[in-house]
Amino acid sequence: LPNFKDYQSKVVVASSINKYQHFTKPASRYTESSLIKELESLGIGRPSTYATIISTLKDHDYVKVEGDETGTLTSDEVKVTYFYRKKRGTVITKHFDRSTGEQFDNDIVREYKLDEWYETHSITRENYELVATPDNYVGYVTSTEPIVVKYYYDKLKGVVVTRYLDEITKEELLPTTRIGYDYGQDYTTIRRDIDNYRRTRIDGIENGKVGENEIVVTYCYQRLEGTLKVEHLESGTNRN
């Protein structure tokens, strides 16, 4: 700045200039005790209701405010409205193959208000059956911690029964076998040769795919008929 002592002027010149920066700080958050004091000072509630008021506030999240939170009071009414939403929890439903741990589909995620009743459901999947319904498949959402509900399923099994029978007497010539297969799986039965018997027919389908119903394959046999030959020989010479 120029030296103003040589000028006839009414300009006031500062002898020094200090520069500083200031940031406003938001009001500190209420604690339970400070909130109760504020309620008392505003005449809201009474000691017997303070616990309920605080519990209700804890169960809600702030959403927005309408009106000016701060300002200068005038003769006009000033209205400030705070909006809250009840806190929410999530329920995550999962479905698994019990033997492999493979998860079917994606997680099913649903959001509920606190203290709201929830209910989950099993799914229908081809060739699978539900093992058991989980204990927490229904209930109330009591916190914001996720509730995980896991359903487990077993692959359905089909049975192939193979029998080997004498066609006439129905006698079991070889032990009956019972083999379990997954639904839709290919199966093969075994033809077996049995001494002194010939195979006559096969009841059932030897090879195929396992379905819902039990598959029975019966191999039927007939005893071989022999020819009796009688000879009369001279002792010592083996001649007739």
Side-chain angles (χ1 to χ4, degrees):
L1 295 176
N3 189 348
F4 284 96
K5 68 180 181 179
D6 297 329
Y7 295 87
Q8 298 296 320
S9 173
K10 294 182 179 181
V11 175
V12 177
V13 180
S15 59
S16 64
I17 297 175
N18 296 319
K19 181 174 71 172
Y20 68 94
Q21 190 175 27
H22 174 71
F23 294 96
T24 58
K25 295 181 179 179
S28 57
R29 292 180 178 272
Y30 283 112
T31 62
E32 286 192 22
S33 58
S34 64
L35 179 57
I36 290 173
K37 288 180 180 179
E38 184 71 10
L39 292 173
E40 289 174 340
S41 67
L42 296 173
I44 299 174
R46 53 186 184 277
S48 62
T49 62
Y50 289 154
T52 302
I53 293 172
I54 290 173
S55 175
T56 300
L57 288 173
K58 282 184 175 181
D59 287 346
H60 289 72
D61 287 320
Y62 169 76
V63 178
K64 65 178 181 177
V65 61
E66 286 185 0
D68 294 328
E69 294 181 272
T70 59
T72 303
L73 290 176
T74 65
S75 57
D76 296 328
E77 181 184 77
V78 176
K79 182 178 180 181
V80 181
T81 305
Y82 291 88
F83 290 90
Y84 293 81
R85 186 184 76 167
K86 192 157 190 178
K87 288 183 178 178
R88 295 172 181 264
T90 54
V91 177
I92 304 170
T93 308
K94 299 172 179 282
H95 302 273
F96 296 95
D97 181 315
R98 183 169 66 164
S99 61
T100 66
E102 175 192 356
Q103 182 173 349
F104 305 142
D105 308 322
N106 296 323
D107 292 349
I108 301 171
V109 182
R110 289 195 172 92
E111 194 175 77
Y112 296 84
K113 297 176 184 176
L114 292 187
D115 301 322
E116 186 176 358
W117 179 261
Y118 74 87
E119 185 170 346
T120 63
H121 301 278
S122 61
I123 60 173
T124 300
R125 191 173 181 88
E126 187 178 1
N127 298 335
Y128 280 87
E129 63 180 353
L130 178 67
V131 176
T133 300
D135 293 338
N136 63 342
Y137 83 104
V138 296
Y140 287 99
V141 176
T142 57
S143 75
T144 56
E145 290 295 319
I147 297 171
V148 181
V149 183
K150 295 181 180 180
Y151 286 88
Y152 290 94
Y153 303 79
D154 278 339
K155 199 159 191 179
L156 290 170
K157 298 287 185 181
V159 176
V160 177
V161 180
T162 308
R163 303 189 302 169
Y164 304 87
L165 302 181
D166 184 306
E167 185 176 36
I168 305 300
T169 66
K170 306 304 180 188
E171 175 190 357
E172 189 176 83
L173 302 176
L174 292 174
T176 297
T177 62
R178 300 177 63 89
I179 302 176
Y181 294 85
D182 292 335
Y183 274 23
Q185 186 177 354
D186 292 329
Y187 74 88
T188 301
T189 60
I190 301 174
R191 298 184 180 190
R192 297 189 182 278
D193 293 327
I194 302 174
D195 290 343
N196 300 323
Y197 282 88
R198 65 182 180 86
R199 190 170 49 252
T200 56
R201 73 172 193 273
I202 301 168
D203 292 338
I205 301 174
E206 288 185 276
N207 310 304
K209 287 189 179 293
V210 174
E212 181 177 352
N213 298 320
E214 183 177 81
I215 297 170
V216 180
V217 180
T218 303
Y219 290 93
C220 298
Y221 296 79
Q222 263 187 6
R223 181 181 287 276
L224 294 172
E225 297 292 340
T227 301
L228 178 63
K229 181 180 180 182
V230 180
E231 292 184 326
H232 299 275
L233 303 177
E234 181 182 352
S235 177
T237 65
N238 289 333
R239 287 191 239 171
N240 289 329

